[in-house]
């Protein structure tokens, strides 16, 4: 059986800390979607460790780590990340079905965003979308192709017919087929020892009764189908994506643990009903260190949206919820929570498809002085306890963990 950690907002919820906290109790940690556009920051003994493609279980020597078929991989980025760790052979396994982000994907990604001007999605420009686009149009290159150089070259030559046409529309130059093939061949020997059929690997692990933890990237509100389309990522970020991105069956997923901040953030463009553009938003950003792990971009910040979190928990079938960064709200005199929306001259408690047409309805809570570093629920200020209990009622899902700082051990278990 496998358990699953999934983001419940627009990403950056603190999934890395929870996966790191739980990983010691699992045999395998599996990353099942996204690319190096996502990042998990883990703090151990005050030292920050940023992961982009490697699963968070990489910090535990006894844990095996899998990059599943649903991930798109920039080989240079992966090898650079791997270089920070020793003895990865036998601990890291990369799916032979995972697709490779090629140099021209990044060029086309940036050119497309630039051409949209004010309607740009706000992507990281790392080629994630174009790579997934090639995948679904059956024009992709997979890691297994690195084992067959002639097939690899033939595939890239075929793909280039369409890629060059797209490049001409955007007025950009692409590297030659020869340069792309040469680039991949220069990395081939470094990555080949880690490439395997990870679906079979996980099935065999299940037969042995070993424990598997799946971790996603981004958040549920960025899901390609159920998120705030078109301002979403290019993959399935919800629990269902864990199956398609790893080869595990739906019946194999046992616990689904949702992760949400005690407030809310978003990177890139798109609807964000509870966003605070003034002093409050800036205070949340500075106190929470809300700058992207991958890009360094400042995140948009706002109040907790209970309607959106309830929606995402339902999408994922969450058994429990972990609330992160409670300490960022320390010192606020009043704290707001969105409990409904104004929509078409009426009040609603759900997310309509035309989400950009809603206005938040808030409930206010009394603030508190300090929660930072507290590890016992009963030791929290009374108003912080009330806040957590009321969030639990509004969402309808049990809150099982509360993080009170970035440190691994500053976590309350309920």
């Amino acid at each position: 059986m496998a358990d699953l950690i999934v983001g419940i907002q627009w990403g950056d919820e603190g999934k890395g800390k929870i996966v790191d906290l739980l990983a010691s109790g699992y045999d395998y940690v599996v990353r099942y979607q996204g690319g190096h556009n996502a990042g998990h920051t883990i703090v151990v003994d005050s030292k920050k460790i940023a992961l982009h493609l490697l699963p968070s279980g990489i910090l535990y020597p006894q844990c095996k780590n899998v990059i599943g078929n649903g991930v798109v991989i920039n080989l240079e980025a992966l090898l650079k990340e791997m270089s920070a760790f020793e003895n990865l052979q036998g601990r890291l396994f990369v799916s032979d079905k995972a697709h490779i982000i090629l140099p021209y994907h990044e060029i086309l990604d940036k050119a497309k965003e630039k051409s949209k001007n004010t309607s740009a999605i706000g992507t990281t420009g790392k080629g994630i979308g174009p790579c997934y686009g090639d995948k679904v149009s059956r024009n992709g290159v997979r890691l297994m192709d690195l084992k067959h150089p002639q097939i690899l070259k033939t595939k890239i030559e075929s793909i280039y017919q369409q890629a060059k046409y797209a490049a001409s529309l955007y007025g950009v130059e692409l590297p030659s087929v020869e340069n792309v093939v040469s680039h991949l061949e220069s990395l081939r020997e470094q990555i080949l020892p880690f490439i395997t059929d990870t679906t079979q690997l996980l099935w065999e692990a299940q037969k042995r009764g070993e424990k598997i933890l799946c971790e996603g990237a981004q958040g549920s509100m960025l899901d390609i189908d159920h998120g705030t389309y078109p301002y979403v990522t290019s993959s399935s970020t919800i629990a269902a994506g864990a199956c398609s991105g790893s080869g595990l069956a739906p019946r194999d997923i046992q616990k689904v643990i949702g992760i949400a901040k005690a407030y809310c953030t978003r990177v890139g463009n798109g609807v964000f009903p509870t966003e605070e553009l003034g002093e409050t938003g800036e205070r949340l950003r500075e106190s929470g260190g809300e700058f992207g792990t991958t890009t360094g971009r400042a995140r948009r910040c706002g109040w907790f949206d209970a309607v959106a979190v309830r929606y995402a928990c339902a999408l994922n079938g969450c058994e429990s919820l972990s609330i992160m960064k409670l300490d960022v709200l320390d010192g606020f005199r009043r704290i707001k929570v969105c409990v409904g929306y104004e929509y078409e001259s009426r009040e609603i408690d759900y997310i309509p498809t035309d989400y950009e047409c809603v206005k938040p309805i808030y409930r206010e809570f009394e603030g508190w002085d300090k929660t930072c570093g507290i590890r016992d629920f009963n030791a929290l200020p009374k108003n912080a306890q009330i806040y957590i209990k009321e969030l639990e009622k509004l969402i309808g899902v049990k809150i099982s963990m509360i993080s009170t700082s970035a440190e691994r051990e500053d976590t309350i278990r309920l």
Side-chain angles (χ1 to χ4, degrees):
M1 301 299 286
D3 294 334
L4 170 61
I5 301 289
V6 62
I8 295 299
Q9 294 161 315
W10 279 275
D12 310 306
E13 299 96 346
K15 297 181 291 295
K17 174 178 174 175
I18 297 300
V19 176
D20 172 62
L21 195 64
L22 299 179
S24 61
Y26 291 84
D27 302 292
Y28 286 81
V29 177
V30 183
R31 166 78 179 275
Y32 60 84
Q33 51 79 219
H36 66 307
N37 58 334
H40 290 158
T41 300
I42 298 166
V43 180
V44 182
D45 297 329
S46 300
K47 180 182 178 182
K48 283 189 177 181
I49 301 167
L51 301 175
H52 304 278
L53 284 164
L54 293 178
S56 302
I58 205 73
L59 300 179
Y60 292 92
Q62 80 283 3
C63 194
K64 293 181 175 65
N65 296 269
V66 173
I67 298 177
N69 57 275
V71 180
V72 292
I73 298 173
N74 178 304
L75 293 178
E76 278 187 304
L78 176 56
L79 289 169
K80 180 181 179 181
E81 201 168 330
M82 289 168 59
S83 69
F85 298 89
E86 297 179 351
N87 304 319
L88 289 181
Q89 195 70 51
R91 291 190 55 227
L92 176 65
F93 304 89
V94 185
S95 174
D96 56 4
K97 299 185 188 76
H99 282 246
I100 300 173
I101 299 172
L102 299 170
Y104 62 81
H105 286 138
E106 186 171 328
I107 294 172
L108 293 177
D109 195 4
K110 291 176 179 177
K112 186 176 181 180
E113 277 289 276
K114 186 177 180 180
S115 71
K116 288 185 174 182
N117 296 321
T118 57
S119 63
I121 302 296
T123 75
T124 56
K126 293 183 178 294
I128 310 298
C131 184
Y132 275 116
D134 276 355
K135 175 179 177 176
V136 297
S137 64
R138 292 159 291 185
N139 268 332
V141 173
R142 299 188 293 178
L143 265 74
M144 66 180 296
D145 296 323
L146 293 175
K147 298 178 180 180
H148 310 286
Q150 190 52 50
I151 293 176
L152 176 68
K153 184 177 180 182
T154 301
K155 281 193 171 186
I156 293 175
E157 286 174 340
S158 175
I159 293 167
Y160 247 55
Q161 299 304 312
Q162 294 183 35
K164 284 184 176 178
Y165 176 71
S168 68
L169 294 178
Y170 294 124
V172 293
E173 292 285 334
L174 299 185
S176 67
V177 170
E178 290 72 23
N179 283 345
V180 173
V181 172
S182 176
H183 173 72
L184 293 178
E185 288 181 342
S186 71
L187 305 174
R188 180 175 177 271
E189 296 305 317
Q190 298 176 67
I191 196 65
L192 276 180
F194 300 93
I195 298 175
T196 190
D197 185 338
T198 56
T199 299
Q200 287 291 339
L201 181 77
L202 293 173
W203 287 353
E204 291 299 322
Q206 286 182 306
K207 289 178 184 178
R208 294 191 297 269
E210 293 179 305
K211 297 180 67 177
I212 299 169
L213 181 65
C214 298
E215 65 167 341
Q218 288 99 20
S220 297
M221 298 302 290
L222 292 177
D223 184 81
I224 186 68
D225 287 298
H226 299 285
T228 50
Y229 191 88
Y231 299 96
V232 293
T233 193
S234 304
S235 58
S236 180
T237 62
I238 61 175
C243 297
S244 60
S246 68
L248 295 171
R251 67 183 179 188
D252 296 329
I253 305 298
Q254 192 170 18
K255 294 179 182 178
V256 179
I257 303 167
I259 313 294
K261 284 174 180 168
Y263 52 103
C264 193
T265 65
R266 176 165 195 168
V267 173
N269 297 327
V271 60
F272 182 4
T274 63
E275 181 176 14
E276 288 286 328
L277 297 173
E279 183 180 335
T280 297
E282 186 60 33
R283 180 175 171 182
L284 289 169
R285 186 177 302 110
E286 291 300 323
S287 297
E290 296 298 349
F291 301 90
T293 302
T294 299
T295 63
R297 284 189 296 180
R299 295 174 185 141
R300 299 159 63 190
C301 297
W303 297 115
F304 190 91
D305 189 332
V307 182
V309 169
R310 186 169 62 243
Y311 166 81
C313 284
L315 278 176
N316 289 287
C318 291
E319 176 188 83
S320 64
L321 188 66
S322 296
I323 296 294
M324 313 301 292
K325 290 192 167 185
L326 182 65
D327 55 297
V328 174
L329 297 179
D330 289 357
F332 277 90
R333 189 176 65 84
R334 304 285 291 176
I335 295 167
K336 293 182 181 180
V337 172
C338 175
V339 296
Y341 303 125
E342 290 181 16
Y343 174 69
E344 295 183 344
S345 302
R346 68 185 194 276
E347 184 176 329
I348 61 172
D349 61 357
Y350 62 90
I351 291 180
T353 303
D354 51 346
Y355 195 26
E356 64 276 7
C357 297
V358 307
K359 292 183 179 180
I361 298 170
Y362 287 115
R363 177 178 166 188
E364 289 198 2
F365 292 82
E366 292 288 340
W368 55 82
D369 292 329
K370 186 176 183 292
T371 64
C372 186
I374 293 176
R375 302 178 182 182
D376 179 0
F377 185 78
N378 292 323
L380 289 173
K382 184 177 180 180
N383 285 343
Q385 294 183 35
I386 292 170
Y387 183 72
I388 293 296
K389 289 176 181 177
E390 289 303 308
L391 290 187
E392 192 173 70
K393 291 178 184 177
L394 289 166
I395 300 160
V397 174
K398 176 179 172 55
I399 294 174
S400 60
M401 283 189 280
I402 305 165
S403 174
T404 57
S405 92
E407 286 287 346
R408 177 189 282 170
E409 300 303 324
D410 288 343
T411 307
I412 298 169
R413 296 176 185 258
L414 300 172

